[in-house]
Amino acid sequence: MREVAFIKQNKEKWLEFEQGFSNKEKKSPDVIANLHIKIMNDLVYAQTYYPKSKVTLYLNKLAKTSFDKVYDSKRRDKNVFLYFFLDKVPLLSYTYRKYFYISFIFFFICFFIGLLSTFNDESFARQILGNGYVDKTLENIESGDAMAIYKSGSNWGTFIGIYDNNQRVGLNMFLSGLFLGIGTAFYIVVNAIMVAVFQAFFYQQNSLFDSLKGIWIHGTYEIFGIIIEAAAGYIIGASILFPGTLKRFQSFKIGFRDAFYIFISTVPFTIMAAFLEGYVTRYSNRMPTIFCFVIIICSLISISYYYLVLPFVVAKKHGLR
């Protein structure tokens, strides 16, 4: 579409949006929010096809000055907690969905590298997991309880310790985005290969099924959360590397803020993962197999829906799609 036609087609919508913030015409927060999202859509289009045009600068200014006012007005009309988790984060997840996809793809590439390395090098598992862990796990497998390592310590102590560790890992994923996303990529390589080696090792010891029904009770939330936290790190890195029409520092501020909101949204899942590891995983060998897999499937469905499906539902509700 030519720029003149683009302007002519959308001019009335842009004027309507401006009037939404004027004293001449008052609109409900939901109407203004819907217009705001449409403006963001137009801005992305303009940045793609008319990157140096005045209309791109105009739309950028319009979107930037409206963001806080739009979402502040919606926040006043809703419970802050519900608004954050059911509106703000899903909309951000929709906006930055390509970073989620990139994070998943990169994780699984590294995961398969870890599998291949383990199957082609008998010493690789010991290099990654450590001799102490491997030897202890071999003893547990021989004794008939492959998941015995998860039974050490109290329920409460394990819950606290695991949550602290997982949250530190997630924070490292997030903050490493400050190093242009390279730091985040490094942590993904380490964690993806470790998970792959772990599973390949149990496969080699003919205990894959026991590991699947035990580890993934808590691992579903844990690993999925890590991938989302990594995506938040990539968002920070991209905001520095690709500022678009914004000044680099402005782009960084917006990217860091949005990434931080996405990172915060993973905290409940991190807590749940720690709870499951502390209170449920240790009993996986005594629980009915079907019950183990019901927990795993429900965990996968809930977190997948939140980050991969709900964003499209909320975006459609706001007229973005």
Side-chain angles (χ1 to χ4, degrees), residues 84-85 88-90 92-93 96 100 163-177 184 222 224-236 255-271 303 306-307:
F84 178 80
F85 282 101
K88 189 161 196 169
V89 172
L92 288 173
S93 297
Y96 294 105
F100 289 6
Y163 170 71
D164 178 67
N165 178 74
N166 290 351
Q167 199 61 75
R168 287 174 183 271
V169 171
L171 191 61
N172 284 335
M173 292 277 188
F174 168 67
L175 292 179
S176 293
T184 300
E222 185 178 313
F224 203 118
I226 283 175
I227 293 172
I228 299 300
E229 289 158 349
Y234 298 145
I235 291 168
I236 296 174
F256 188 89
R257 177 196 61 198
D258 292 349
F260 179 71
Y261 290 151
I262 291 172
F263 168 72
I264 289 297
S265 75
T266 67
V267 172
F269 295 109
T270 302
I271 293 173
I303 196 169
Y306 185 72
Y307 286 109

Side-chain angles (χ1 to χ4, degrees), residues 5-33:
F6 175 68
I7 294 173
K8 185 177 180 180
Q9 178 178 310
N10 296 287
K11 183 178 180 181
E12 290 185 8
K13 177 175 60 181
W14 301 339
L15 291 175
E16 181 184 6
F17 181 75
E18 287 187 302
Q19 290 171 356
F21 289 105
S22 70
N23 295 324
K24 298 177 182 179
E25 184 179 353
K26 293 185 178 180
K27 295 184 179 294
S28 70
D30 284 333
V31 172
I32 295 174

Side-chain angles (χ1 to χ4, degrees), residues 80 170 185 253 262:
V80 174
K253 287 196 298 183
I262 291 172

Side-chain angles (χ1 to χ4, degrees), residues 224 299-313:
F224 203 118
S299 298
L300 181 60
I301 290 174
S302 61
I303 196 169
S304 296
Y305 179 81
Y306 185 72
Y307 286 109
L308 302 179
V309 179
L310 184 61
F312 286 88
V313 175

